[in-house]
Amino acid sequence: MYLSSQSIWADITRIRDQAPLVHSITNFVVMNNTANALLALGASPAMVHAPEEVDDFVAIASALVVNIGTLDATFVAGMKRAMRRAKELGKPIIFDPVGVGATTYRNTVSAELLALAAPDIIRGNASEIMALAGLNAQTKGVDSLYGSDAAVDAGRRLSSVWGSVVVISGETDYIIQGEQTATIDNGHPLMTKVTGMGCTATALAGAFAAVDTDYFQAATQAMAVMGIAGELAALKNPAPGSLQLNFLDALYGLTKSDIVERLKLTIL
């Protein structure tokens, strides 16, 4: 199987049939959003960060998503234990370096987590990917000050160093692993007016990685589904509040024809 509307639909069907448990250590802002998005797609979310129980949850989960949006000592301890355990068990790790580059603490935690267990997929905006790659990128909190194309070289560097699939979100999404690069041009500008959409993309990558061990394919398919669902949601009512609800409905009701008709995928 290779990347196409057929492969995307095949993995959506697997997710809906298997309902894989996606263990998410994520931030307070998006917990509800990402849990509901996983459910709408067909996966099963577990929003667990206590260090005392993450080992047990990683053991029964099909993928681990780690998102550093709202850091504190307890979250960091849980992330470290979970990532170490996931690496031991061979479970896919998806890492979202929210706001990296904004503070020294955030940079330090990201570096420690990467050194502890290299993620299978890293997803961030251009500023985050550039900062994570060691470039002196400017950031505005959790928002990017760069277009996704500006971070392609940084993404290649990250992929080379850590062996990870690197996803750069933006108007065009870039998915990079070694010599492989794909772009997704699906989505809608209104998605930038809803908090946590990037974090939701990371969660969906966890669902696809749970059923597809080709993580380049899994990450690309997650970004395609994210963008297509955003387009469908914006058609219903082009306003931020409605988009949040309609996005979940679009994920839940996504059909093969939606993907075939709307997919904007390029392999570079």
Side-chain angles (χ1 to χ4, degrees), residues 24-235:
S24 300
I25 304 178
T26 191
N27 67 74
F28 289 124
V29 178
V30 304
M31 282 184 184
N32 184 67
N33 307 56
T34 56
N36 279 322
L38 286 167
L39 285 169
L41 184 64
S44 177
M47 320 309 283
V48 175
H49 62 267
E52 295 82 1
E53 62 176 347
V54 293
D55 283 354
D56 293 335
F57 267 94
V58 169
I60 62 174
S62 297
L64 172 67
V65 173
V66 172
N67 175 310
I68 67 166
T70 51
L71 288 176
D72 63 25
T74 300
F75 264 68
V76 173
M79 290 172 182
K80 289 181 175 179
R81 288 194 63 156
M83 289 179 71
R84 185 184 298 113
R85 184 62 172 152
K87 190 59 68 173
E88 290 172 356
L89 296 175
K91 305 290 179 77
I93 300 170
I94 298 85
F95 179 57
D96 191 329
V98 177
V100 68
T103 68
T104 300
Y105 179 54
R106 202 163 287 268
N107 296 346
T108 299
V109 168
S110 295
E112 290 174 350
L113 292 174
L114 288 173
L116 180 67
D120 297 287
I121 299 171
I122 299 170
R123 192 220 61 84
N125 63 36
S127 290
E128 291 161 350
I129 295 302
M130 292 166 74
L132 203 63
L135 302 181
N136 188 25
Q138 292 181 304
T139 182
K140 187 177 70 175
V142 300
D143 296 324
S144 180
L145 296 178
Y146 304 89
S148 53
D149 58 334
V152 170
D153 287 343
R156 291 196 179 110
R157 181 187 303 181
L158 268 185
S159 181
S160 176
V161 170
W162 299 109
S164 309
V165 178
V166 176
V167 180
I168 310 165
S169 295
E171 184 176 352
T172 295
D173 301 317
Y174 287 84
I175 303 91
I176 299 166
Q177 184 179 40
E179 299 301 316
Q180 299 184 98
T181 303
T183 64
I184 297 292
D185 285 299
N186 292 104
H188 192 278
L190 194 60
M191 296 170 76
T192 64
K193 301 300 183 183
V194 177
T195 190
M197 294 302 275
C199 300
T200 299
T202 304
L204 296 188
F208 278 91
V211 300
D212 192 337
T213 57
D214 183 335
Y215 299 131
F216 177 78
Q217 179 165 282
T220 304
Q221 294 179 163
M223 299 311 296
V225 165
M226 184 80 195
I228 290 169
E231 292 174 3
L232 293 170
L235 285 175

